[in-house]
Amino acid sequence: MPGKAVPLDKLLQSQGFGSRKACRQLVEAGRVQVNGQACTDAGTSFLSDGLLLQVDGQDWPWRAQLYLALYKPPGFECSRTPQHYPSVLSLLPAHFVTRGVQPVGRLDADTSGLLLLTDDGAFNHALASPKRHVAKTYRVQCKHAVSPAQIEALLAGVQLHDEPAPLAALAAVPVDSHSLDLCIDQGKYHQVKRMLAAAGNRVEGLHRLAMGDVRLGEGCLAGLAEGEWCELDAAALAQLGKRQP
């Protein structure tokens, strides 16, 4: 679509604002501006590159694909069909969900912290794939005091049930008597909780600090509060291995 003039209703549809009929109705009702100018003709064509759409007074830059970071609060499920808690997708604008944004991997409902979301399926798969070994760093609050022996075990590798070989942390750094920062790159089911249990402790609270080199509180994620989202900028995407066109 970039580089080619496209009718406004089709541009709006591509961004998740509804069917072409619904988007035509938005335009004809005077609820849409393009680059700050009112437009009531849904058939007017625009180049998508650098386009700023405004719907009901809210700015929405046109994006071929979305790359988001969400500061996930506890009490939300990483699912389109949640069972016990609201979906994390309910924290995003509705048209992001309509256009197919999905979480990259999952965080448990009781886990908080950094969650990436995208409608770029190839990017999602690349980050979530165990073959990529994308590092994930967690602040782990433990029930019992964290001992040097437990740190050594986590770094050396602990044996989990149904795993053929021990799993080792990339880093395990004590924060205080009952918490540590744990970095892993395997992404197994409930891995952090199972690793701590295998080392002789129990996870009481879990918070993801970072994926790869993208970290809450840094770069484009600086100032992001719990429950808020932001777009990943070019620097963050490069840190995640996304090549820009």
Side-chain angles (χ1 to χ4, degrees):
M1 204 174 288
K4 178 182 177 182
V6 177
L8 180 55
D9 57 352
K10 192 173 181 180
L11 285 166
L12 288 164
Q13 182 187 30
S14 75
Q15 302 301 285
F17 286 101
S19 66
R20 287 194 74 174
K21 179 180 179 181
C23 291
R24 283 196 299 272
Q25 292 172 342
L26 275 178
V27 175
E28 291 166 358
R31 297 168 60 188
V32 179
Q33 291 185 319
V34 181
N35 295 330
Q37 300 297 315
C39 181
T40 56
D41 182 358
T44 304
S45 293
F46 298 90
L47 293 173
S48 57
D49 284 347
L51 191 70
L52 177 62
L53 297 166
Q54 294 159 308
V55 180
D56 294 331
Q58 181 76 38
D59 289 348
W60 299 109
W62 188 91
R63 297 287 188 259
Q65 291 174 307
L66 284 172
Y67 305 93
L68 309 175
L70 172 71
Y71 188 154
K72 179 190 175 295
F76 287 82
E77 293 183 26
C78 293
S79 172
R80 280 184 171 268
T81 54
Q83 300 297 311
H84 305 291
Y85 299 93
S87 170
V88 291
L89 299 176
S90 68
L91 298 170
L92 302 177
H95 63 282
F96 284 7
V97 182
T98 301
R99 64 181 286 175
V101 164
Q102 298 277 10
V104 177
R106 290 174 180 255
L107 292 177
D108 291 343
D110 59 355
T111 299
S112 62
L114 176 60
L115 180 67
L116 303 182
L117 305 102
T118 185
D119 57 358
D120 182 341
F123 180 69
N124 192 328
H125 176 74
L127 282 183
S129 172
K131 296 179 181 179
R132 277 287 304 275
H133 296 286
V134 176
K136 294 165 281 287
T137 305
Y138 297 86
R139 175 68 50 83
V140 187
Q141 187 68 35
C142 299
K143 181 175 182 179
H144 310 293
V146 179
S147 69
Q150 290 170 359
I151 295 292
E152 290 178 12
L154 291 167
L155 293 172
V158 290
Q159 184 65 54
L160 305 185
H161 181 63
D162 290 336
E163 291 296 331
L167 296 180
L170 298 178
V173 181
V175 175
D176 56 37
S177 63
H178 284 68
S179 66
L180 73 153
D181 286 351
L182 188 74
C183 183
I184 60 173
D185 66 353
Q186 299 94 353
K188 303 289 185 179
Y189 178 71
H190 286 169
Q191 183 176 338
V192 173
K193 294 176 181 178
R194 294 164 67 204
M195 287 181 70
L196 266 293
N201 213 316
R202 178 176 173 177
V203 173
E204 296 280 274
L206 196 56
H207 175 80
R208 185 191 279 166
L209 296 168
M211 282 192 70
D213 293 326
V214 175
R215 192 177 185 93
L216 281 176
E218 297 181 1
C220 62
L221 281 66
L224 198 64
E226 192 172 74
E228 293 183 342
W229 62 271
C230 68
E231 285 193 73
L232 296 175
D233 62 14
L237 288 171
Q239 289 175 317
L240 294 167
K242 173 65 177 176
R243 295 181 179 177
Q244 297 299 295

